[in-house]
Amino acid sequence: RLWADTVKWLTKYNMPYDGIVWSDNKMYDMATVFPSVNFFVDDNAKHCNSIARLGFKVYLLSNSYNQQPLEKNVSRVWSLKQILECEGI
């Protein structure tokens, strides 16, 4: 159900994406499968910080459960619209 809900959400907001990753080694998998990706989006601060430490630009969709400190190349955002504006999409 998570996969279907995520695809539905991305489609609803007309958000282009290269892939969706669910894995125990999510950060490693994302970095190796998508090494030239423009940016990553996640709602888990731990995942965002981990992928950011590998040198990628990351957007954290802010929520009450992810208010911990962030790495310097993680940007906290409150909407997809904000990501699209930041990326000029």
Side-chain angles (χ1 to χ4, degrees):
R1 174 159 170 117
L2 286 175
W3 180 272
D5 288 349
T6 299
V7 170
K8 182 178 177 181
W9 185 82
L10 291 166
T11 302
K12 176 181 176 181
Y13 292 102
N14 197 30
M15 182 69 170
Y17 61 96
D18 294 316
I20 301 168
V21 177
W22 269 282
S23 167
D24 290 337
N25 297 311
K26 185 176 187 174
M27 286 62 65
Y28 174 79
D29 291 345
M30 290 189 319
T32 56
V33 173
F34 305 107
S36 61
V37 72
N38 293 329
F39 61 90
F40 290 98
V41 179
D42 205 307
D43 66 342
N44 182 304
K46 179 182 173 185
H47 292 163
C48 289
N49 282 332
S50 293
I51 197 73
R53 282 192 286 278
L54 296 174
F56 293 97
K57 182 190 329 184
V58 185
Y59 291 101
L60 173 70
L61 287 168
S62 192
N63 209 314
S64 59
Y65 56 80
N66 62 17
Q67 297 303 306
Q68 44 277 65
L70 301 173
E71 295 289 325
K72 69 177 182 172
N73 48 333
V74 177
S75 297
R76 184 178 298 278
V77 294
W78 289 265
S79 69
L80 279 179
K81 182 179 179 186
Q82 190 177 1
I83 296 170
L84 296 174
E85 289 171 354
C86 289
E87 291 299 317
I89 299 173

